[in-house]
Amino acid sequence: MPEGPSVRKFHHLISPFVGQQVVKIGGSIKKLNSAAFQSLWLQDTQVHGKELFLRFDLDEETGSPGNNPLPEPLEKKEEAGDQKQTFGCDSQKISDQPSRSLNPVVPSGDNGSECLGGDSPAGGTERWLQVRFGLFGSVRANEFSRAKKPNKRGDWKDPIPRLVLHFGGGGFLAFYNCQMSWHSSPVLRPTSDILSEKFHRGRALEALGQEQPVCYTLLDQRYFSGLGNIIKNEALYRAGIHPLSLGSLLSPPQLEILVDQVVEFSAHWLQGKMQGTQQHTEIYQKEQCPAGHQVMKEAFGPPGGFQRLTWWCPQCQPRLPPDEPEQVQLS
């Protein structure tokens, strides 16, 4: 799924539409009350880690919508036989996850599915649309995504947006590969957001010092919100730390360097996105590291948890504690 720098860029694309009214909608999301949406104005947008929050209000002249309760999550309204949704233009199937309630802890994970929590926004003066992106999720402003290669049948079929919002100013926003739900308020924890000025280094360092592989902790969104697989691989390589090294065996200076690399790489990546340049990676999806050593690749993750492909250089990133020589070959 898009990592923090990409979602910040999406937020940047959405911001110029704040203050405009939705006049028409489109997209493939089901059970959407278009009439209710078209009476709304986009009043605010916030970003936290890998998630976006958009606030919609009624125009004061249209009157109050009343104090209706939050709508039931869409998953509960679907029949049991409709538990898998087509996700994106390539017919990739991803199982729906149960609707998660808002709480300070934002779970990690990179899969998403189609969901709009109810067919109309909640009542009250504020209603927030929470957007979680899937593996190839994106936001386009005043343009649609185009196919970059033919599908398995040889057809050049453009991706289908999940939601398209047309605004009174003449522009539009297209959301792809994302999960959406209505909530009464956004979840914002800047102390865990790696791109926030309020990012809490002390809490992150304490989490990294646990007796578990550091590559597990880095993807924990409670402490490193916005950090994904690319940032994980690059920060570990640049800090010279093996992904399976136990945090409890790393020295305080090593942990400090690792956090520095997380923040610096993420900030440079965001800067490049804003300038329209591609971020350079040194280890991610590489066959050799910058020093010319053979790169290893394997899927790592906590027992019973999500496994993520990890690239590392055994020579530049020695493991703590030392283990048997790795037999993994780059495929």
Side-chain angles (χ1 to χ4, degrees), residues 96-324:
D96 283 337
Q97 298 296 324
S99 178
R100 291 174 288 185
S101 60
L102 292 177
N103 57 71
V105 176
V106 182
S108 61
D110 287 281
N111 289 341
S113 58
E114 173 186 297
C115 167
L116 192 66
D119 52 14
S120 62
T125 57
E126 295 184 349
R127 62 288 303 279
W128 291 85
L129 185 66
Q130 183 179 23
V131 184
R132 295 188 181 99
F133 294 94
L135 185 59
F136 300 106
S138 66
V139 176
R140 300 277 182 144
N142 301 322
E143 65 175 358
F144 292 105
S145 179
R146 301 303 181 188
K148 297 180 180 179
K149 61 182 180 179
N151 58 26
K152 294 180 179 179
R153 296 181 179 179
D155 300 326
W156 288 81
K157 188 176 181 181
D158 292 334
I160 301 173
R162 278 291 176 248
L163 178 66
V164 182
L165 298 176
H166 296 267
F167 292 89
F172 68 89
L173 290 169
F175 297 80
Y176 292 87
N177 260 303
C178 56
Q179 180 187 36
M180 297 177 168
S181 55
W182 291 106
H183 295 283
S184 59
S185 61
V187 178
L188 302 174
R189 292 186 66 230
T191 55
S192 69
D193 193 325
I194 58 175
L195 285 168
S196 171
E197 295 180 353
K198 298 181 180 180
F199 175 62
H200 200 302
R201 288 179 58 92
R203 190 174 300 153
L205 288 166
E206 183 179 357
L208 281 172
Q210 299 177 79
E211 192 175 354
Q212 71 172 3
V214 287
C215 70
Y216 299 177
T217 308
L218 284 174
L219 291 178
D220 191 329
Q221 300 298 291
R222 294 175 298 179
Y223 310 107
F224 296 94
S225 183
L227 193 152
N229 205 36
I230 296 176
I231 299 174
K232 177 199 75 176
N233 281 276
E234 291 298 311
L236 285 170
Y237 175 74
R238 295 168 193 227
I241 296 174
H242 191 288
L244 291 181
S245 290
L246 299 181
S248 57
L249 298 180
L250 295 173
S251 66
Q254 286 178 301
L255 296 177
E256 290 276 3
I257 291 173
L258 180 54
V259 173
D260 287 342
Q261 293 300 328
V262 165
V263 174
E264 291 175 13
F265 179 82
S266 302
H268 290 160
W269 190 2
L270 175 59
Q271 182 180 16
K273 280 190 169 294
M274 293 302 187
Q275 297 174 349
T277 59
Q278 188 172 1
Q279 175 64 31
H280 171 70
T281 57
E282 296 183 346
I283 197 73
Y284 181 71
Q285 295 185 336
K286 304 294 185 182
E287 294 185 358
Q288 290 186 335
C289 75
H293 305 138
Q294 180 72 22
V295 170
M296 297 294 187
K297 179 182 75 171
E298 189 175 356
F300 294 142
F306 198 64
Q307 308 292 304
R308 299 306 313 274
L309 282 176
T310 304
W311 287 260
W312 78 98
C313 173
Q315 296 187 54
C316 298
Q317 299 168 262
R319 180 173 174 176
L320 293 176
D323 202 353
E324 297 179 2

